[in-house]
């Protein structure tokens, strides 16, 4: 199967390209985030049709949300253009979204049948991107992921480490929002498994969830991160502090139910903690190489 990765320079895009090229089961072409900033629908159509691909994997919006990068109106228009072009050319569209479509106010895990209820701007933008895919393209998979972390690019892990490594670096975090993060290579494993099974001719179109099975919050994640990072750098006492905000009450749980992807594709969840040590090591190696 011929796969086009959009956002090949994002953490997920890089991990997915490396995974697919390593195993060699699919022919891979890529477009960087910059190359996907089409100014008109005609340019998006040409990009889709040029390489005669079977499926597009779109990492752009998910990566922007995880990296705290502003999503603009034109970004959502591009989703619409892509979905229409895929539909017209019988190309499947695998669109990566985020658990942040949900408010976190439910006291259980969110299923694919739950309506995205996050009233915040980011939640509404994510929902609009998903709707563009659903409304315009018949052969689609929307894969909602927990927060993605990696040693590359802008994400929660690189942000926290950069802050800790600053002079007198300190992180002040609360424990209000809970979720299940996903390491980029684990996300790539899941996307690759979907591609492998789609290449056999099955057509299980729709929405799926994937995240690690162990819940955490920013404070607990940072403490785990600090334990691994302490092997490579020294940090002061109280580098990670728990701060309680009296104005915020209750806990938000953006936790995804992943039963559907397990039963439909036999994809099992794995714990995020197992990836932290290697990811932190790769981050410090990358930093050392950049200084040479």
């Amino acid at each position: 199967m011929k796969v086009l990765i959009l956002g090949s320079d994002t953490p997920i895009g890089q991990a997915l390209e490396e995974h697919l090229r390593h195993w060699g089961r699919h022919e891979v072409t890529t477009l960087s985030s910059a190359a996907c900033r089409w100014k008109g629908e005609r340019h998006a159509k040409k990009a889709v049709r040029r390489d005669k691909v079977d499926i597009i994997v779109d990492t752009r919006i998910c990566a922007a949300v995880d990296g705290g990068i502003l999503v603009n109106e034109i970004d959502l228009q591009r989703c619409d253009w892509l979905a229409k072009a895929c539909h017209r050319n019988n190309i499947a569209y695998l669109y990566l979204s985020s658990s942040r479509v949900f408010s976190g106010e439910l006291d259980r895990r969110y299923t694919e049948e739950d309506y995205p209820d996050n009233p915040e701007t980011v939640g509404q933008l994510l929902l609009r991107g998903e709707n563009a895919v659903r409304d315009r393209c018949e052969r689609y998979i929307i894969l909602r992921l927990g927060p993605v972390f990696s040693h590359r690019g802008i994400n929660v892990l690189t942000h926290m480490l950069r802050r800790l490594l600053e002079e007198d670096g300190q992180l002040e975090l609360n424990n209000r929002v809970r979720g299940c993060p996903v390491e980029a290579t684990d996300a790539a494993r899941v996307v690759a498994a979907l591609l492998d099974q789609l290449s056999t001719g099955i057509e299980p179109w729709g929405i799926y969830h994937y995240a690690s099975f162990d819940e955490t919050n920013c404070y607990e994640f940072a403490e785990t991160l600090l334990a691994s990072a302490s092997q490579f750098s020294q940090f002061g006492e109280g580098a990670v502090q728990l701060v309680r905000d009296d104005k915020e009450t209750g806990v938000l749980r953006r936790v995804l139910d992943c039963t559907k992807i397990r039963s439909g594709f036999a994809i099992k969840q794995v714990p995020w903690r197992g990836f932290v040590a290697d990811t932190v090591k790769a981050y410090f190696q990358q930093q050392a190489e950049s200084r040479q």
Side-chain angles (χ1 to χ4, degrees):
M1 189 160 66
K2 193 167 187 179
V3 181
L4 171 60
I5 302 173
L6 302 182
S8 58
D9 53 341
T10 66
I12 299 179
Q14 292 180 76
L16 179 60
E17 182 181 1
E18 290 173 359
H19 185 100
L20 295 180
R21 293 195 188 282
H22 173 76
W23 291 103
R25 289 193 284 266
H26 306 283
E27 186 178 347
V28 181
T29 56
T30 63
L31 283 175
S32 68
S33 299
C36 295
R37 296 192 182 109
W38 307 292
K39 295 182 179 180
E41 185 172 357
R42 181 171 60 88
H43 299 100
K45 287 180 183 177
K46 288 178 65 176
V48 169
R49 297 172 61 183
R50 181 175 53 237
D51 295 309
K52 298 180 180 179
V53 299
D54 301 300
I55 188 168
I56 287 175
V57 180
D58 191 351
T59 74
R60 299 169 306 120
I61 304 299
C62 178
V65 168
D66 285 328
I69 300 169
L70 182 66
V71 176
N72 297 304
E73 187 71 29
I74 186 65
D75 297 310
L76 300 176
Q77 273 191 303
R78 290 171 184 139
C79 294
D80 188 81
W81 298 339
L82 286 166
K84 286 193 289 185
C86 285
H87 182 73
R88 289 168 182 162
N89 293 279
N90 197 33
I91 296 170
Y93 192 174
L94 202 167
Y95 177 82
L96 302 187
S97 188
S98 167
S99 59
R100 291 184 69 181
V101 295
F102 298 116
S103 66
E105 294 181 355
L106 284 185
D107 59 358
R108 58 169 174 78
R109 293 175 179 258
Y110 283 90
T111 71
E112 290 83 354
E113 285 70 40
D114 289 317
Y115 184 77
D117 62 344
N118 188 351
E120 298 174 357
T121 300
V122 65
Q124 294 302 302
L125 291 171
L126 283 165
L127 178 57
R128 286 178 58 195
E130 289 187 6
N131 286 342
V133 176
R134 296 174 66 183
D135 294 344
R136 299 293 192 181
C137 184
E138 183 177 350
R139 301 173 68 235
Y140 74 87
I141 285 180
I142 294 171
L143 177 62
R144 294 175 182 147
L145 298 168
V148 176
F149 66 94
S150 170
H151 69 280
R152 296 180 284 208
I154 305 171
N155 56 81
V156 62
L157 182 141
T158 57
H159 172 73
M160 286 183 175
L161 285 178
R162 189 163 52 249
R163 287 280 305 278
L164 287 170
L165 291 168
E166 291 173 353
E167 186 175 355
D168 299 324
Q170 190 175 80
L171 284 172
E172 296 183 349
L173 304 163
N174 65 41
N175 59 358
R176 184 172 185 248
V177 180
R178 297 190 66 80
C180 299
V182 182
E183 203 275 330
T185 58
D186 188 33
R189 171 189 69 88
V190 172
V191 173
L194 294 177
L195 295 175
D196 288 346
Q197 295 183 62
L198 289 171
S199 69
T200 66
I202 63 171
E203 298 194 347
W205 312 118
I207 300 175
Y208 294 86
H209 289 172
Y210 180 78
S212 59
F213 64 76
D214 42 348
E215 287 186 45
T216 190
N217 55 45
C218 284
Y219 176 71
E220 294 170 355
F221 184 84
E223 284 196 313
T224 304
L225 199 63
L226 182 62
S228 292
S230 296
Q231 302 176 52
F232 305 96
S233 184
Q234 292 187 342
F235 300 95
E237 292 185 12
V240 177
Q241 295 186 358
L242 177 62
V243 176
R244 301 186 185 279
D245 189 340
D246 294 334
K247 296 179 181 179
E248 296 180 337
T249 58
V251 174
L252 299 179
R253 294 181 69 239
R254 294 194 180 104
V255 181
L256 301 176
D257 185 302
C258 302
T259 303
K260 184 177 177 182
I261 200 168
R262 183 172 66 249
S263 60
F265 292 93
I267 293 174
K268 296 181 179 179
Q269 296 168 269
V270 295
W272 60 268
R273 285 180 171 82
F275 292 94
V276 171
D278 287 342
T279 307
V280 169
K281 180 180 179 180
Y283 175 85
F284 279 96
Q285 288 176 338
Q286 179 179 265
Q287 295 301 302
E289 291 170 2
S290 67
R291 292 192 293 267
Q292 292 178 355

